[in-house]
């Protein structure tokens, strides 16, 4: 299959048309690129699992064209806490795991009684959904277990030859996947750390981190992984003293001189700004991964606010496989 990269108004039309026909399209969101198919068409959803080589036990996020769909897909549309979260954070990088209605195909939710829903703020994504009219299921547009794509070229690297169309919206503004929360006895359970921080959520409702049982396969230990082995340092000072025998690259947090024992270095945030780091994280990992290194050594980010989401992605990338 030939994969075309399109953009602009014409690209939006092509994408909406393909969705109507039951096909797949990669679309930009404010977090990462998503691989979208008609959420109410089980054959389109099956194509998503196939293109990503994603195991069927890992459920997908459904992206809504407008708020009317919340009540059509879930039974929690009138829950006051949900209404407040939506008022504060939608459209945007917050995914809500809610009790589902039977209209949602089992394949989307991996048979779970809940469905994950979100509304993207990306203008091109919204334009496609407005034209298409129905919700789309859209996981990140990478092959299973690999680094999420934050640019159209990354999608091509991951899924080129497997999907017909990529809508190019330039680099993603946020760069890490949405925060995922579930309802939990009047409070919230944080299933995946993301751009909407635990601090922001705690201002609205009591929040618990998910327990040891795997609630979201995004919490699987090894995830978001480059091909090159990765190691996460406990504190940034260790990088200067690094003495591994391997040909290693340094994924540095902020601006610094490259320690001579590293053969390459990527700086996540020259301006020491977690938002800048998040936006550059996955592209920097991809660049180091392409350099035939034996090891990527990552400095840890500050563990608060958006730093928590970045730390989570680095931990998963460095987890044993
Ligand atoms: O920012 C994002 O969320 C991106 C863009 C494309 O929207 N999407 C994304 O999708 O990251 P994906 O499939 O890579 O991650 C979805 C996460 C997975 O960890 C999945 O296990 C979890 O959401 N999830 C989906 N449905 C769930 C459910 N019913 N219960 C618990 N977790 C669920
Ligand atoms: Mg993913």
């Amino acid at each position: 299959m030939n994969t075309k990269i399109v953009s602009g108004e014409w690209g939006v039309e092509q994408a909406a048309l393909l969705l109507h026909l039951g096909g797949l399209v990669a679309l930009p969101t404010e977090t990462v690129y998503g691989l979208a198919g008609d959420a109410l068409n089980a054959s389109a959803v099956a194509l998503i699992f196939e293109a990503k080589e994603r195991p069927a036990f890992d459920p997908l996020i459904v992206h809504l064209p407008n708020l009317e769909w919340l009540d059509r897909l879930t039974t929690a549309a009138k829950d006051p806490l949900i209404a407040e979260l939506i008022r504060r954070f939608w459209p945007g990088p917050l995914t809500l795991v809610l009790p589902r209605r039977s209209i949602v195909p089992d394949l989307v939710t991996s048979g779970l009684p809940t469905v994950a829903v979100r509304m993207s703020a990306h203008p091109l994504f919204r334009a496609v959904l407005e034209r298409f009219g129905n919700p789309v299921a859209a996981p990140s547009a990478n092959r299973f277990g690999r680094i999420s794509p934050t640019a159209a070229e990354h999608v091509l690297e991951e899924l080129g030859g497997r999907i017909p169309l990529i809508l190019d919206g330039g680099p993603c503004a946020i760069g890490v996947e949405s925060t995922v929360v579930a309802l939990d006895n009047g409070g919230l359970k944080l299933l995946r750390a993301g751009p909407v921080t635990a601090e922001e959520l705690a201002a609205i409702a009591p929040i618990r981190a998910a327990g040891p049982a795997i609630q979201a396969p995004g919490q699987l230990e090894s995830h978001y992984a480059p091909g090159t082995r990765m190691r996460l340092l406990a504190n940034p000072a260790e990088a200067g003293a690094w003495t591994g025998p391997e040909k290693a690259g340094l994924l540095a947090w902020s601006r610094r001189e490259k320690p001579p024992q590293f053969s390459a270095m990527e700086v996540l945030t020259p301006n020491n700004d977690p938002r800048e780091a998040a936006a550059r994280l996955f592209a920097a990992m991809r660049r180091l991964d392409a350099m035939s290194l034996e090891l990527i050594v990552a400095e840890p980010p500050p563990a608060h606010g958006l730093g928590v989401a970045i730390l989570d992605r680095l931990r998963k990338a460095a987890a044993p496989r």
Side-chain angles (χ1 to χ4, degrees), residues 174-194:
I174 296 179
V176 293
E177 304 86 347
S178 64
T179 306
V180 181
V181 295
L183 287 172
D184 179 41
N185 292 318
L188 295 171
K189 196 156 46 181
L190 182 61
L191 300 182
R192 180 172 73 185

Side-chain angles (χ1 to χ4, degrees), residues 127-157:
V128 171
L129 285 209
E130 196 170 307
R131 191 157 303 214
F132 176 52
N134 280 354
V136 296
S140 50
N142 49 285
R143 278 176 274 150
F144 184 70
R146 293 170 45 104
I147 305 171
S148 291
T150 52
E153 310 84 72
H154 300 168
V155 180
L156 193 63
E157 272 170 45

Side-chain angles (χ1 to χ4, degrees), residues 228 239 242 246-253 256-267 284-299:
T228 313
W242 177 259
E246 301 96 337
K247 180 176 178 210
L250 179 63
L251 186 57
W253 176 255
R256 62 175 299 159
E257 202 149 304
K258 181 173 77 61
Q261 63 273 40
F262 291 100
S263 25
M265 179 174 79
E266 286 281 342
V267 172
M285 278 166 65
R286 272 177 197 276
R287 282 193 295 272
L288 287 173
D289 198 23
M291 293 182 75
S292 321
L293 300 163
E294 291 165 329
L295 183 69
I296 298 170
V297 175
E299 289 182 333

Side-chain angles (χ1 to χ4, degrees), residues 108-133:
V108 171
T109 67
S110 305
L112 293 172
T114 51
V115 62
V117 290
R118 123 167 163 87
M119 223 163 111
S120 169
H122 196 289
L124 285 179
F125 195 99
R126 292 176 62 130
V128 171
L129 285 209
E130 196 170 307
R131 191 157 303 214
F132 176 52

Side-chain angles (χ1 to χ4, degrees), residues 59-60 73 97-101 104 108-116 182:
L60 307 179
L73 302 183
V97 172
L98 302 174
R100 72 168 171 132
R101 294 193 194 276
V104 182
V108 171
T109 67
S110 305
L112 293 172
T114 51
V115 62

